[in-house]
Amino acid sequence: MSKYSKKIILSEQDIPKQWYNIQADLPEPLEPAFNTRTGKIATKEDLCVIFPEEIVEQEVSRERWIDIPEEVRDIYKIWRPSPLIRARNLEKFLDTPAKIYFKNEGVSPSGSHKSNSAIAQAYYNKKAGTTRIATETGAGQWGSALAMACQMFGIECVIYMVKVSFEQKPYRKSLMHVYGANVFASPSTQTEVGRKVLASDPDCKGSLGIAISEAIEDVLSHNNAKYSLGSVLNHVALHQTIIGLEAKKQMEMVDEYPDIVIACLGGGSNFSGMSFPFIMDKIQGSRPNLRAIAVEPSACPKLSKGVFAYDYGDNSGFTPAFKMYTLGHTFMPSGIHAGGLRYHGASPLVSSIVKHKLAESVVVGQKEVFEAAVTFTKCEGILPAPESAHAIRTAINEALKAKEEGISKTILFNLSGHGHFDLSAYEQYLSGQIQDCNYSQKEVEKALEDLPKVNI
Amino acid sequence: MSKYSKKIILSEQDIPKQWYNIQADLPEPLEPAFNTRTGKIATKEDLCVIFPEEIVEQEVSRERWIDIPEEVRDIYKIWRPSPLIRARNLEKFLDTPAKIYFKNEGVSPSGSHKSNSAIAQAYYNKKAGTTRIATETGAGQWGSALAMACQMFGIECVIYMVKVSFEQKPYRKSLMHVYGANVFASPSTQTEVGRKVLASDPDCKGSLGIAISEAIEDVLSHNNAKYSLGSVLNHVALHQTIIGLEAKKQMEMVDEYPDIVIACLGGGSNFSGMSFPFIMDKIQGSRPNLRAIAVEPSACPKLSKGVFAYDYGDNSGFTPAFKMYTLGHTFMPSGIHAGGLRYHGASPLVSSIVKHKLAESVVVGQKEVFEAAVTFTKCEGILPAPESAHAIRTAINEALKAKEEGISKTILFNLSGHGHFDLSAYEQYLSGQIQDCNYSQKEVEKALEDLPKVNI
């Protein structure tokens, strides 16, 4: 690599042919999901009501490598392999001996890493004869990704978008429209659930919990309809490992291996995708000193401040209960400008990894995150999503620590998405209107009282 | 290339080392610019008041190849070489025997091809000791590109943004802010010109003409300040040829050469950049049958419906007069959703090329443009800027013609930018609110009465 090389580029032939399933390498198997309706361990059959069978098989599989279908790889080729970039200008600006690399998942057409799983899920649904997929979306990254994926496979896509985002983020909604999706502001009049909420509160701005309930009702009331989720579940983490697998190949091309791998954590899909292929080496013993850092916003620090317990995946208690780090499913984090990180729990896989001290977590505040985002943009040109900027903040902190200690470190982080739809948040930061939002211990304690009772 | 290959990727080493200057190959030299203030041919000294000397040298140079400085290539590496993509899904959807390739310039951090010249201009200014660059911007593509470029070279950047866009396109303005630029809604209170306009009309929404005048006044009233322009001039076209030069290499990699090269035309920088390296082959005789098509909106068809005459580069008659196709500098096109194409003239180089029948022009309407944009997005996933969608419309038309005629054609178009900041226009199209806007022959005739008197 010449002094000024920036991008490390793979060819389309180098797109991985298999995803990595960390369930094969966990120190102990995941504890089973629990169906609080039946009072029993959730079965595959429970899941098959809303997911196609192959997805359910992936959810519980303990095979280490799972083939990526050629049809999925073909669509990945629209933007994959994504570039790995050496942030030379940022290194220079920080005057650090550390080398900073980042993977740019913002190059996907939907603008974030979410497409990696959306394409795969649409494929398996198509194969299973699904003709309609319903989902919920908050800020809209998952919705855009699924809308594009469904378009590619000719599946009808119905998206229940939390009303406050529907109104405040018209661009993301419009992108879903261009991809041909039907987007409803939730609560909507499309479902019993939505109509009931609207009857008692016509001005209700919605919540992810209501939107999930609407999407599930939609699935159950239509033929050949299935549900699709953009994070938390094992199969989503599986699909996202293509990020870390590519990054490993790219690091190898320049004879590098990271000392530290960093990604932000919402439900866990982004962190899993980047870190699991490296954590595999740590588990298998070849890289015992690797550090994997999940970055959480101070408004929603489930790994750092939550409990490890059974909890629902959604806010309204519809899903099975999973064993995970959680702040309580009824905990409502502050409205920070990183909607993708406002989730009460960490996925069962990430929780297990952290429980076994194979990864660590850090907490960062909103102002320092935007400061890092602006520094990064000025140095490297690329505008990150506020979610991704959490990883940037931590990469900068680690690079500055390396400088203090006078040692070189190789740092790798995932830039999970671009910030083109988040510029009003940047504008607020630049005009001094962004505040740090910390979680309230009291509210968490209150939410933890609502944890489901699970007897396994 | 396998059946499913999509992207043709060059390495950073393959970024061209020289720009192509079509002035070396013109059938006859450009007619000189005319300074209507002095009543004489515009001199290099006239230009050096607002541009650094090396830029002025490039403006008048007739050397065929001009070296790209290493410092410029290093910053190009942030996103260059840009991908060349085979639009296989679009071909399949159209069921055409034509092969459709597109170059994706939307991958630049500022979102469009404008960065190619912005980086170069910032570099030459830095070298010349410029500490402040002022410019105007309408929709904001050029402003974003220059803001980033100035940030990279540590130059203060001042942008006068037409007030109606400043208010309607807050995202582009915010992007410039993140890049550290000062952005003023024009008319502003920063300049004599602006204050005068505001005094007589406090609610004035501005125009490119006023913004140019403000930027020039800013330059003349500050030390070490220069002006920068994002289109029309010869040096801008020169810098943009990196698009076509890369595309040629990429086509060669798959043993292809286009029968038809297509790009939209605003001032001319995008069309020049894509087509000139191919038109070189046509002029030099190796590709006599190449067709180069400049696509104009029906609201502003200067090549197709204008006159070939001396006219000012700006709306207020501040610049020298150039020999070009023009609808008259006082002609005000309808407010279509492709702000980058609302320019009254075609650059002198493009005008000369068309005059000598080395390129042709076509006119397309706004509705069919958005229809093509949505089709393209659904097939290829990538959301184009409305400007770029003019090229897509024409590429689709040519592909359908090839189908009708039953012959294979190789079509290449430039996707000059992404449409992430144009989603409100898409939303309007999808809800049936987009109208075709045709230019008015009467208004053009009126504007042509204002052409400057030039005696050379």
Side-chain angles (χ1 to χ4, degrees):
Chain A
M1 221 162 89
S2 95
K3 188 177 157 205
Y4 290 108
S5 295
K6 289 196 67 72
K7 297 189 301 301
I8 301 149
I9 302 287
L10 295 169
S11 74
E12 289 183 353
Q13 288 72 41
D14 295 320
I15 294 177
K17 295 196 163 60
Q18 298 180 307
W19 291 299
Y20 168 59
N21 180 13
I22 202 167
Q23 291 196 71
D25 290 315
L26 290 182
E28 49 185 346
L30 287 185
E31 297 188 60
F34 187 82
N35 186 334
T36 55
R37 276 181 189 68
T38 61
K40 291 179 185 163
I41 288 173
T43 63
K44 279 197 212 175
E45 288 65 35
D46 290 349
L47 290 171
C48 281
V49 175
I50 55 170
F51 295 114
E53 198 176 333
E54 277 192 87
I55 289 284
V56 174
E57 289 299 337
Q58 292 183 351
E59 188 63 19
V60 298
S61 169
R62 291 172 67 184
E63 289 293 318
R64 182 169 291 115
W65 298 102
I66 292 182
D67 287 348
I68 305 178
E70 267 312 300
E71 293 86 342
V72 172
R73 288 181 79 241
D74 282 339
I75 297 183
Y76 280 171
K77 287 175 189 167
I78 292 176
W79 75 99
R80 303 209 74 84
S82 68
L84 182 79
I85 302 179
R86 172 96 181 259
R88 290 183 185 271
N89 288 344
L90 179 62
E91 290 171 14
K92 206 170 144 193
F93 175 80
L94 299 173
D95 188 25
T96 174
K99 295 182 224 171
I100 306 175
Y101 291 89
F102 64 98
K103 185 83 170 151
N104 187 2
E105 291 292 306
V107 298
S108 94
S110 75
S112 83
H113 72 291
K114 293 289 184 191
S115 287
N116 297 326
S117 185
I119 299 293
Q121 292 191 47
Y123 166 77
Y124 290 114
N125 271 289
K126 181 71 182 181
K127 209 174 150 197
T130 305
T131 56
R132 176 185 178 100
I133 296 181
T135 196
E136 75 289 335
T137 198
Q141 285 158 329
W142 170 246
S144 322
L146 189 67
M148 175 190 152
C150 285
Q151 177 61 44
M152 293 283 156
F153 285 103
I155 301 171
E156 189 181 356
C157 186
V158 182
I159 298 168
Y160 294 88
M161 185 173 186
V162 178
K163 193 182 275 176
V164 60
S165 298
F166 185 91
E167 288 167 354
Q168 283 177 3
K169 310 221 172 198
Y171 275 26
R172 283 212 182 271
K173 172 192 66 186
S174 300
L175 182 56
M176 296 177 230
H177 281 164
V178 177
Y179 287 134
N182 284 318
V183 189
F184 298 109
S186 166
S188 77
T189 55
Q190 300 294 309
T191 66
E192 194 69 34
V193 172
R195 287 188 294 269
K196 210 180 262 181
V197 173
L198 288 172
S200 72
D201 178 7
D203 297 326
C204 174
K205 290 292 178 197
S207 72
L208 263 183
I210 297 169
I212 292 177
S213 303
E214 288 206 273
I216 303 266
E217 183 184 325
D218 186 294
V219 168
L220 300 179
S221 60
H222 286 85
N223 288 330
N224 302 320
K226 293 289 178 192
Y227 175 67
S228 187
L229 195 69
S231 192
V232 182
L233 297 180
N234 305 339
H235 66 274
V236 183
L238 173 78
H239 303 152
Q240 293 295 354
T241 58
I242 195 161
I243 303 171
L245 292 168
E246 278 184 11
K248 267 177 100 164
K249 281 196 197 186
Q250 287 162 311
M251 296 295 276
E252 270 168 31
M253 283 168 70
V254 288
D255 285 325
E256 292 270 21
Y257 191 95
D259 297 299
I260 309 173
V261 176
I262 300 168
C264 64
L265 182 97
S269 75
N270 168 56
F271 177 74
S272 306
M274 179 50 120
S275 72
F276 284 2
F278 294 98
I279 292 175
M280 175 180 79
D281 299 338
K282 190 177 173 82
I283 298 177
Q284 294 179 352
S286 65
R287 298 286 175 174
N289 297 322
L290 170 82
R291 291 177 60 204
I293 306 179
V295 191
E296 309 188 291
S298 55
C300 197
K302 47 260 186 177
L303 286 176
S304 307
K305 304 287 179 181
V307 300
F308 187 64
Y310 268 97
D311 199 3
Y312 295 115
D314 65 320
N315 303 127
S316 50
F318 185 92
T319 70
F322 303 98
K323 191 74 174 281
M324 59 181 179
Y325 281 100
T326 179
L327 297 166
H329 67 280
T330 55
F331 172 73
M332 187 58 70
S334 313
I336 55 168
H337 293 279
L341 307 185
R342 292 178 66 239
Y343 182 71
H344 65 278
S347 78
L349 282 173
V350 172
S351 293
S352 167
I353 290 293
V354 169
K355 187 76 185 164
H356 287 95
K357 303 201 184 308
L358 293 164
E360 57 196 279
S361 65
V362 297
V363 171
V364 293
Q366 195 165 211
K367 272 159 80 172
E368 58 179 340
V369 161
F370 274 96
E371 189 215 355
V374 171
T375 297
F376 178 81
T377 307
K378 286 185 170 176
C379 289
E380 300 297 328
I382 298 167
L383 184 86
E387 287 85 354
S388 317
H390 285 68
I392 297 174
R393 173 75 267 168
T394 303
I396 291 177
N397 290 351
E398 291 293 335
L400 292 175
K401 211 182 292 173
K403 180 182 175 182
E404 247 179 59
E405 296 169 356
I407 44 169
S408 177
K409 283 266 162 87
T410 299
I411 298 168
L412 168 64
F413 72 86
N414 194 31
L415 197 146
S416 52
H418 66 63
H420 299 169
F421 300 125
D422 304 286
L423 276 159
S424 61
Y426 276 94
E427 191 67 45
Q428 284 180 42
Y429 168 72
L430 292 171
S431 57
Q433 292 169 59
I434 290 261
Q435 301 301 321
D436 277 334
C437 305
N438 292 315
Y439 80 107
S440 138
Q441 184 61 36
K442 248 188 204 161
E443 282 174 33
V444 169
E445 278 163 22
K446 194 160 161 283
L448 291 178
E449 289 171 13
D450 299 327
L451 289 184
K453 305 281 171 279
V454 172
N455 301 310
I456 293 187
Chain B
M1 223 163 88
S2 94
K3 187 179 158 203
Y4 291 108
S5 295
K6 289 196 66 76
K7 299 188 301 302
I8 300 149
I9 303 287
L10 295 170
S11 74
E12 290 184 351
Q13 289 73 41
D14 295 321
I15 295 176
K17 294 195 164 60
Q18 298 181 308
W19 292 300
Y20 168 60
N21 181 11
I22 203 166
Q23 291 194 71
D25 289 315
L26 289 180
E28 51 185 343
L30 288 184
E31 296 188 60
F34 187 81
N35 186 334
T36 55
R37 277 179 187 69
T38 61
K40 290 178 185 162
I41 287 173
T43 63
K44 279 197 212 176
E45 288 67 32
D46 290 348
L47 290 172
C48 282
V49 175
I50 54 170
F51 294 115
E53 198 176 333
E54 277 190 86
I55 290 284
V56 175
E57 289 300 335
Q58 291 182 350
E59 188 62 21
V60 297
S61 169
R62 291 173 65 185
E63 289 293 319
R64 182 169 291 116
W65 298 102
I66 293 181
D67 287 347
I68 305 178
E70 267 311 301
E71 292 88 341
V72 172
R73 289 182 79 241
D74 282 340
I75 297 183
Y76 280 170
K77 287 174 190 167
I78 291 176
W79 75 98
R80 304 211 72 86
S82 69
L84 182 78
I85 302 178
R86 172 97 180 259
R88 289 185 187 270
N89 287 344
L90 180 62
E91 291 172 14
K92 206 171 142 190
F93 174 81
L94 299 173
D95 188 25
T96 173
K99 294 182 224 171
I100 306 175
Y101 291 89
F102 64 98
K103 184 84 169 151
N104 187 1
E105 292 291 306
V107 297
S108 94
S110 75
S112 82
H113 72 292
K114 292 289 183 190
S115 286
N116 297 326
S117 186
I119 300 291
Q121 292 191 47
Y123 166 78
Y124 289 115
N125 270 289
K126 182 71 180 181
K127 208 173 151 197
T130 306
T131 56
R132 178 185 177 99
I133 296 181
T135 196
E136 75 288 336
T137 198
Q141 284 159 330
W142 170 245
S144 322
L146 189 66
M148 175 191 153
C150 285
Q151 177 61 43
M152 293 282 157
F153 286 103
I155 302 171
E156 191 182 355
C157 185
V158 182
I159 298 167
Y160 293 89
M161 185 171 186
V162 178
K163 192 181 275 176
V164 60
S165 297
F166 184 91
E167 289 167 354
Q168 283 177 1
K169 309 221 172 200
Y171 274 27
R172 283 213 182 270
K173 172 191 69 185
S174 300
L175 183 57
M176 297 177 228
H177 281 163
V178 178
Y179 286 136
N182 284 317
V183 189
F184 298 110
S186 169
S188 77
T189 56
Q190 301 292 309
T191 66
E192 195 69 35
V193 173
R195 287 187 294 269
K196 211 180 258 177
V197 173
L198 288 173
S200 72
D201 179 7
D203 297 325
C204 173
K205 289 291 178 199
S207 72
L208 262 183
I210 297 169
I212 292 176
S213 304
E214 288 206 273
I216 303 266
E217 183 185 324
D218 186 295
V219 168
L220 299 178
S221 59
H222 286 84
N223 288 331
N224 302 320
K226 293 289 179 193
Y227 175 68
S228 188
L229 196 69
S231 191
V232 182
L233 297 179
N234 305 339
H235 67 273
V236 183
L238 173 78
H239 303 151
Q240 293 295 355
T241 58
I242 194 160
I243 303 170
L245 292 168
E246 278 184 12
K248 266 177 101 163
K249 282 195 196 187
Q250 287 162 311
M251 296 294 277
E252 270 169 32
M253 283 169 70
V254 287
D255 286 325
E256 292 271 21
Y257 192 95
D259 297 298
I260 309 174
V261 176
I262 301 169
C264 65
L265 183 97
S269 75
N270 169 55
F271 177 73
S272 306
M274 180 47 121
S275 72
F276 284 2
F278 293 97
I279 293 176
M280 175 181 79
D281 298 338
K282 190 177 172 82
I283 298 177
Q284 293 178 353
S286 66
R287 295 290 176 172
N289 297 323
L290 171 82
R291 291 176 61 203
I293 307 179
V295 190
E296 308 188 293
S298 56
C300 196
K302 48 261 184 175
L303 286 177
S304 307
K305 304 289 180 180
V307 300
F308 187 63
Y310 268 97
D311 198 4
Y312 296 116
D314 65 320
N315 303 127
S316 51
F318 184 93
T319 70
F322 302 98
K323 191 73 174 279
M324 58 182 180
Y325 282 97
T326 179
L327 298 166
H329 66 280
T330 54
F331 171 73
M332 186 58 69
S334 313
I336 55 168
H337 293 280
L341 307 185
R342 293 178 64 239
Y343 182 71
H344 64 278
S347 79
L349 282 174
V350 172
S351 293
S352 166
I353 290 293
V354 169
K355 188 77 185 163
H356 287 96
K357 303 199 184 309
L358 293 163
E360 58 197 277
S361 65
V362 297
V363 171
V364 293
Q366 195 165 213
K367 273 159 79 173
E368 57 179 338
V369 161
F370 273 95
E371 189 216 355
V374 170
T375 297
F376 178 81
T377 307
K378 287 184 169 176
C379 289
E380 300 297 326
I382 299 167
L383 184 86
E387 288 84 355
S388 317
H390 286 68
I392 296 174
R393 175 74 266 167
T394 304
I396 289 177
N397 290 350
E398 291 293 335
L400 292 175
K401 211 182 292 172
K403 179 182 175 181
E404 245 180 58
E405 295 168 0
I407 43 170
S408 178
K409 283 269 161 86
T410 298
I411 298 169
L412 169 64
F413 73 85
N414 194 30
L415 196 146
S416 52
H418 66 62
H420 299 169
F421 300 126
D422 303 286
L423 276 159
S424 60
Y426 276 93
E427 191 67 46
Q428 283 180 43
Y429 167 72
L430 291 172
S431 57
Q433 292 169 59
I434 291 261
Q435 301 300 322
D436 278 335
C437 304
N438 292 315
Y439 80 107
S440 138
Q441 185 61 38
K442 247 188 202 160
E443 282 174 33
V444 168
E445 278 163 19
K446 194 158 163 282
L448 291 177
E449 288 171 13
D450 298 327
L451 289 183
K453 304 282 170 280
V454 173
N455 302 310
I456 293 187

